[in-house]
Amino acid sequence: MSFKTLDDLTELAGKRALVRVDINVPMQDGRVTDATRIERVAPTIEELSGKGAKVILLAHFGRPKGKVVAEMSLKPVAAAVEEVLDHRVHFATLDEAEAAISKMADGDVLLLENTRFEPGEEKNDSDLASRYASLGDLYVNDAFSAAHRAHASTEGLAHKLPAYAGRTMQTELEALQKGLGDPKRPVVAIVGGAKVSTKIDLLTNLVKKVDAVVVGGGMANTFLAANGTDVQASLCEAELGQTAREIEAEAEKAGCSVVLPVDAVVAGEFKAGAPSDTVAVDAVPEGQMILDAGPQSVEKVKSWIEQANTLIWNGPLGAFEIEPFDAATVAAARYAAERTRAGELISVAGGGDTVAALNHAGVAGDFTYVSTAGGAFLEWMEGKTLPGVKALEDGGKG
Ligand code: ADP
Ligand code: MG
């Protein structure tokens, strides 16, 4: 993987830098309730501005589908960016952009209105990309989480100007490269969560690339059932039995171990504090459901983590949102964190619920890298080409 970064940029003074960021932040009553995404891109903006560039931010917000929708204006977000940066942030629509940019001083920051107000944005329209390009001298993409979309501001524009990865994009790509691109072996993946159906591509790709896949959470039930275990009232996609067996066959061919739970914590209902029991996976009482991996399974997962030099994690091992069914996920997460802190493990995790689970376990900060990129993270782990990243690898025009 090779792409240009801000290190390749010299002589920035007076240059107009078009910077694609993801500041699709949660808002309530016109106020930003969580500025994490803004904080993530702040270093890139500050670095460019500090070197005298005129920084022009491109970003989407919500799904206005090519129309101007007043509630999806980025204008209120400009104020939040201003707070995080401690730097004045100007705002303009695309029609006002040229005039606004001509008034910018070196180091100024301007946020342009929601890119998805433009009908050509999601169609990756070449004329729109050219129109964006006419506003800048160079392009920086710092929005990894939008890189699985080939849109005018995430892909098309990268072919019209010299293109660079911003610092957040660079960090994410380098971490993912360590996790799956060129990892230190053995590599163990934990794939958990609710359903096999959402993770078929992920499992299929991982079994070819890693040394062991620990299958956990609700999706383990589908694998157990495919091998003849009666999982009773557990979440289970019986129709995917054949798919599960195919994934196991692929794994065997590739020399990858598929690790399934041997015991489980079961309950009569999906509810916090529901009376629970620990049983062997082939002894789930009638009408009960598996809501977490049992202690023997946790020991097994820990021994796989112990042998690994690299760990990739997507999906919790149980219904971690409701106690006490968070126990396996928390124990495995804390063990991975401990080995990471000791310098013995590279740990890369991602996925909405996975991030929540690691936060719940209090160890998100101890992992080597935790991706908040959602869909883009999954597509990367599925081995797919991300158009926004590919365009940077092609180096842009210049
Ligand atoms: P991510 O968002 O990290 O990709 P998923 O969305 O695939 O993860 O999975 C998370 C969900 O899986 C959680 O809501 C959790 O409750 C559910 N889950 C895990 N184990 C079980 C189980 N045994 N039964 C039912 N749901 C489960
Ligand atoms: Mg989820």
Side-chain angles (χ1 to χ4, degrees), residues 26-34 76 83:
M27 285 228 291
Q28 221 166 25
D29 308 322
R31 289 198 59 84
V32 174
T33 54
D34 179 358
E83 256 170 58

Side-chain angles (χ1 to χ4, degrees), residues 193-194 199 314 316 351-354:
K199 300 200 174 165
N314 170 257
D353 290 291
T354 308

Side-chain angles (χ1 to χ4, degrees), residues 62-344:
R63 295 175 182 274
K65 304 216 157 118
K67 292 195 191 73
V68 176
V69 179
E71 308 83 75
M72 292 181 198
S73 171
L74 270 173
K75 188 142 195 208
V77 181
V81 178
E82 202 161 276
E83 256 170 58
V84 171
L85 292 180
D86 204 13
H87 195 298
R88 177 84 204 275
V89 176
H90 304 271
F91 181 81
T93 65
L94 188 56
D95 287 334
E96 300 162 345
E98 220 180 285
I101 293 166
S102 70
K103 289 192 206 115
M104 288 173 83
D106 291 2
D108 275 1
V109 181
L110 169 75
L111 173 62
L112 291 184
E113 182 57 288
N114 194 344
T115 51
R116 291 190 186 165
F117 281 2
E118 296 299 319
E121 169 66 7
E122 293 185 62
K123 293 184 191 132
N124 200 7
D125 179 62
S126 178
D127 291 341
L128 179 61
S130 296
R131 190 168 171 205
Y132 292 147
S134 72
L135 301 171
D137 301 302
L138 59 103
Y139 171 68
V140 175
N141 189 347
D142 211 23
F144 176 79
S145 50
H148 57 316
R149 313 258 186 239
H151 292 172
S153 69
T154 62
E155 203 274 344
L157 177 53
H159 299 289
K160 311 262 183 193
L161 288 173
Y164 304 84
R167 294 300 183 200
T168 304
M169 171 75 89
Q170 180 187 352
T171 305
E172 181 100 28
L173 291 176
E174 284 169 359
L176 294 180
Q177 188 69 12
K178 262 199 238 166
L180 197 59
D182 181 23
K184 194 168 168 209
R185 291 185 179 275
V187 190
V188 172
I190 297 178
V191 182
K195 291 180 169 183
V196 173
S197 52
T198 59
K199 300 200 174 165
I200 295 171
D201 291 350
L202 176 68
L203 288 166
T204 307
N205 184 48
L206 287 180
V207 295
K208 287 181 213 141
K209 295 196 177 149
V210 307
D211 301 291
V213 175
V214 174
V215 179
M219 73 169 69
N221 304 337
T222 301
F223 278 80
L224 292 169
N227 293 312
T229 302
D230 186 350
V231 296
Q232 295 288 340
S234 303
L235 178 66
C236 176
E237 294 169 290
E239 71 283 5
L240 289 182
Q242 179 62 20
T243 304
R245 283 189 295 271
E246 278 164 21
I247 290 167
E248 285 180 316
E250 281 286 330
E252 192 170 345
K253 237 191 334 187
C256 168
S257 308
V258 174
V259 183
L260 293 175
V262 289
D263 60 348
V265 180
V266 297
E269 51 183 340
F270 190 100
K271 200 174 136 198
S276 60
D277 258 323
T278 300
V279 298
V281 286
D282 58 5
V284 180
E286 203 181 328
Q288 301 252 310
M289 59 181 91
I290 297 173
L291 289 179
D292 197 14
Q296 283 181 44
S297 307
V298 172
E299 285 313 310
K300 214 169 138 183
V301 176
K302 283 166 74 173
S303 80
W304 279 101
I305 296 174
E306 190 181 7
Q307 295 167 50
N309 277 315
T310 303
L311 174 72
I312 301 166
W313 190 337
N314 170 257
L317 295 176
F320 76 98
E321 311 89 327
I322 49 172
E323 281 180 26
F325 309 106
D326 58 340
T329 305
V330 168
R334 290 193 178 149
Y335 185 63
E338 187 186 310
R339 287 208 63 220
T340 308
R341 277 197 305 269
E344 296 163 347

